Amino acid sequence: CDGAKMTVTGAEQENAIKFSCDHTLTIYGQSLGTGRLSLTGYYDYYGILAPSANIIINGGDVTVTGNDEVAIKCGTFTMNGGSLNATSNGTGYYDNAMNVGTSFTFNGGNFSATSANAAAIEGSWLPVTLSWTSPSDSFYASSFGQVSITIAEGKAFIDEEGNLYKGYYDDDIYYGEVYGLDGKTLRPFN
């Protein structure tokens, strides 16, 4: 229900949420989108550990912290709305905010991923697709690892310095891959 809050902290030597099957975790907010979910792993454990699962965020206010570990590890990630703040305070090379297996899709909402030392978003040549649905959407990652970032066809983003990011056509073929987004806050550009 609107305004509800839930906080989950991993018990000793536990992740806040863990499941290992090919299932889907869908998080959404009610009509006002004011529900809040906060997940924190125990020291050296994940906020969400679901290596072969799908995570979909459709709404609500979600905060996930990896306590000296990855904040979110999943198979696929899709964000359609709401807000997500994924943070890893770990100092290791692999302590990512998000480690995603096969696909990362941002369609809208307010997204932030920050890692103290490692790439904020990591995957093994992970395809990352960025789009937007509302002028109030935003996307931020402190850094990217082995990923391929593409701006969705017909969409464009602008950063805080006025730099524009969008794809282009060459012989009727769309090329949307972009670079240099580390530490940039992207907002929709019409």
Side-chain angles (χ1 to χ4, degrees), residues 48-158:
I48 299 175
L49 176 59
S52 59
N54 308 306
I55 295 179
I56 301 170
I57 298 179
N58 290 327
D61 182 2
V62 182
T63 300
V64 183
T65 303
N67 195 357
D68 202 38
E69 187 52 88
V70 174
I72 300 173
K73 183 173 179 72
C74 60
T76 68
F77 176 81
T78 303
M79 184 163 179
N80 298 313
S83 67
L84 172 66
N85 183 0
T87 304
S88 172
N89 58 18
T91 57
Y93 181 75
Y94 298 105
D95 292 339
N96 315 107
M98 298 194 67
N99 190 300
V100 182
T102 58
S103 71
F104 181 109
T105 305
F106 174 80
N107 292 319
N110 295 291
F111 176 91
S112 176
T114 306
S115 288
N117 192 49
I121 299 176
E122 182 63 270
S124 181
W125 300 113
L126 173 72
V128 173
T129 302
L130 304 179
S131 187
W132 55 270
T133 54
S134 168
S136 62
D137 292 342
S138 65
F139 182 91
Y140 171 83
S142 60
S143 59
F144 295 88
Q146 296 179 358
V147 301
S148 173
I149 305 167
T150 300
I151 303 295
E153 189 172 355
K155 300 294 183 176
F157 287 89
I158 192 165

Side-chain angles (χ1 to χ4, degrees), residues 6-76:
M6 180 178 187
T7 300
V8 179
T9 302
E12 186 172 340
Q13 299 181 351
E14 291 292 333
N15 306 291
I17 293 178
K18 176 183 177 181
F19 55 102
S20 56
C21 300
D22 294 333
H23 294 302
T24 299
L25 171 64
T26 303
I27 300 170
Y28 63 94
Q30 298 296 326
S31 59
L32 298 178
T34 58
R36 186 170 291 165
L37 174 63
S38 178
L39 306 167
T40 303
Y42 185 78
Y43 178 77
D44 209 21
Y45 282 83
Y46 299 81
I48 299 175
L49 176 59
S52 59
N54 308 306
I55 295 179
I56 301 170
I57 298 179
N58 290 327
D61 182 2
V62 182
T63 300
V64 183
T65 303
N67 195 357
D68 202 38
E69 187 52 88
V70 174
I72 300 173
K73 183 173 179 72
C74 60
T76 68

